[in-house]
Amino acid sequence: MSAAAAAPAGDAPKKGKKKLILILAVVVLLAAVGGGVALVMKKNHDAEAAAAAEDGEESSGHQEKKSAKKDKKKDDKHALPVFVPLDPFVVNLADRETDRFAQIGLTLEVQDAHVADEIKAYLPAIRNNVLLLLGHKTSAELMTPDGKEVLARQLRRVAVQPMGIELEDEDAVEEEAPPTPGKKKKRKRFDSLDDSPVKSVQFSSFIIQ
C-alpha cells in the first residue's frame, strides 16, 4: 500500500513542471506577439509622422511661394512710375487751306530708371520721329479727343523705333494687296505692346494755332 501511495506523489511534481513550462511558453508567445504588434504600430506611426511632415513642408513651401508672388505683385503695384519729360515740340501742321502750327509737350512713362537713361541716349532720333509724325497731322485730326488718343498711341510706337523695337500700329488700316503669282507675301513680325519699355505717352501741353 505504501508503494501505491508513493506513485501519485511522484507524478505531482512532473505535472506541476509541465504546467509551469506551458505557462512560461504562453507568456513568451504573448510577449513576442505583443512586441511584434508594437513594432508594426511604431512603424506605421513613424510613416504617418513622416508623411505629415512632408505634407507640412510642401504646404509651407507652397504658402511661401504664394506669399512671395503676392508680395511681388504688391511691390509692382506700389512702385513709383518713372517719367521722362521731353522739351516742347513746335511744328507746322499739314493743313492746306491755311498755315496752322502746334505746340505740344510730351512726357513718356517708361518701365524703369534704366529705360529712362536709354531714352536720353536715343533722344535726338526720338525727337526726329515725333516731329515727322506731327508734321503729317492736320489741325482737324488733333483737335478731337479721339484724335489725341490716336496720336498718343502713334507717338508711343515711333518713340521706341530708334531702340530697335517695332510695335504694331493699332490704328492702321491694313489693305490686302492682290497675291503675286509664285511669291508668298511675308508678314512683318512685331514686338508685344506689353513688353514695350515706353508704357504710355502723356501730354503736358497741347496748343494749336
Side-chain angles (χ1 to χ4, degrees):
M1 184 174 181
S2 60
D11 292 338
K14 292 182 180 180
K15 291 182 179 179
K17 288 181 180 180
K18 288 182 179 179
K19 287 182 180 180
L20 182 59
I21 292 173
L22 182 60
I23 291 171
L24 291 174
V26 171
V27 171
V28 172
L29 180 61
L30 290 175
V33 172
V37 171
L39 182 60
V40 171
M41 291 180 64
K42 185 177 183 303
K43 287 184 177 180
N44 291 339
H45 180 268
D46 293 343
E48 291 176 359
E54 185 176 353
D55 291 341
E57 289 178 0
E58 290 181 357
S59 176
S60 176
H62 179 69
Q63 291 294 334
E64 288 178 0
K65 289 180 181 179
K66 192 174 181 181
S67 177
K69 287 182 180 179
K70 189 179 292 186
D71 292 342
K72 186 177 185 301
K73 287 183 179 179
K74 188 176 180 180
D75 292 341
D76 292 343
K77 185 177 180 181
H78 292 86
L80 294 176
V82 179
F83 293 101
V84 180
L86 306 182
D87 291 335
F89 294 85
V90 180
V91 60
N92 291 323
L93 298 177
D95 292 71
R96 294 184 178 181
E97 296 80 8
T98 182
D99 291 336
R100 305 293 296 270
F101 72 91
Q103 181 178 341
I104 300 175
L106 300 178
T107 299
L108 306 180
E109 181 183 359
V110 299
Q111 187 174 357
D112 50 39
H114 175 73
V115 175
D117 293 336
E118 192 174 3
I119 289 289
K120 294 174 183 176
Y122 287 98
L123 196 53
I126 292 174
R127 289 189 63 87
N128 177 71
N129 286 2
V130 172
L131 286 170
L132 290 176
L133 175 62
L134 293 175
H136 284 85
K137 296 290 184 179
T138 64
S139 58
E141 291 177 307
L142 299 180
M143 292 180 71
T144 64
D146 289 342
K148 290 181 176 65
E149 291 179 4
V150 170
L151 176 63
R153 291 193 292 267
Q154 292 176 339
L155 287 170
R156 180 188 179 191
R157 187 171 65 90
V158 300
V160 296
Q161 285 177 344
M163 294 182 282
I165 300 172
E166 190 69 31
L167 302 178
E168 188 171 8
D169 190 350
E170 304 167 74
D171 305 291
V173 178
E174 186 175 349
E175 297 181 359
E176 292 188 4
T180 304
K183 188 176 181 181
K184 191 174 181 180
K185 186 179 179 181
K186 187 177 180 181
R187 294 182 62 86
K188 188 174 184 178
R189 298 186 64 180
F190 296 96
D191 294 288
S192 171
L193 291 172
D194 295 333
D195 296 333
S196 172
V198 176
K199 297 305 178 184
S200 66
V201 175
Q202 312 291 334
F203 295 112
S204 55
S205 63
F206 207 109
I207 301 172
I208 297 176
Q209 293 183 346

